[in-house]
Amino acid sequence: MQPQVFHTVLAPCYYATDAEGYVFSVAYPGYLSVTGNLCVGTPMGADGNPFTDALIIWPRENGGYDYGLLLYDGQTGYQIMADRRGHALDSALEHVVQAHAPSVEVLLQKANAWWALS
């Protein structure tokens, strides 16, 4: 699939969609920054709600990655830092991650397959 490109003023971002509708994006570091990210988002539902679960991955300068999850329960959204297996770093939020376990598992699988992170 040919990636699509969109630009901010100083940094390009690329995104592609797979056959199932998952969105993969790469954001380069912005001006005077060394932090970019990779992101996998679940397809938008039939209801047209744009707030869907997503996995954000920040490459570390010296290797490895940091992970974050955007998880939605109706109108409530959670931003959760996670380990590479998708478990919340803050144990008080693990119940939210467990409620979204099937989605988190697919997002991690898709990210690992798309970018060969493992």
Side-chain angles (χ1 to χ4, degrees):
M1 160 159 289
Q2 182 68 26
Q4 303 296 313
V5 181
F6 60 93
H7 294 273
T8 61
V9 175
L10 298 171
C13 298
Y14 299 89
Y15 72 96
T17 305
D18 72 4
E20 297 174 273
Y22 284 82
V23 177
F24 300 83
S25 65
V26 177
Y28 280 77
Y31 181 67
L32 296 178
S33 174
V34 295
T35 305
N37 67 63
L38 310 171
C39 183
V40 182
T42 56
M44 189 181 321
D47 61 359
N49 183 357
F51 299 106
T52 61
D53 295 346
L55 169 68
I56 301 174
I57 304 162
W58 295 275
R60 295 182 191 146
E61 287 183 54
N62 297 321
Y65 304 94
D66 290 318
Y67 296 85
L69 296 166
L70 300 174
L71 303 174
Y72 292 93
D73 287 329
Q75 298 292 338
T76 304
Y78 298 90
Q79 298 177 5
I80 302 170
M81 294 303 295
D83 65 16
R84 65 183 185 90
R85 294 183 318 260
H87 297 287
L89 296 182
D90 180 348
S91 61
L93 295 170
E94 184 62 23
H95 73 282
V96 177
V97 174
Q98 289 305 312
H100 292 266
S103 177
V104 171
E105 184 177 332
V106 170
L107 290 168
L108 286 165
Q109 290 172 353
K110 295 266 184 191
N112 286 319
W114 193 270
W115 289 296
L117 301 175
S118 298

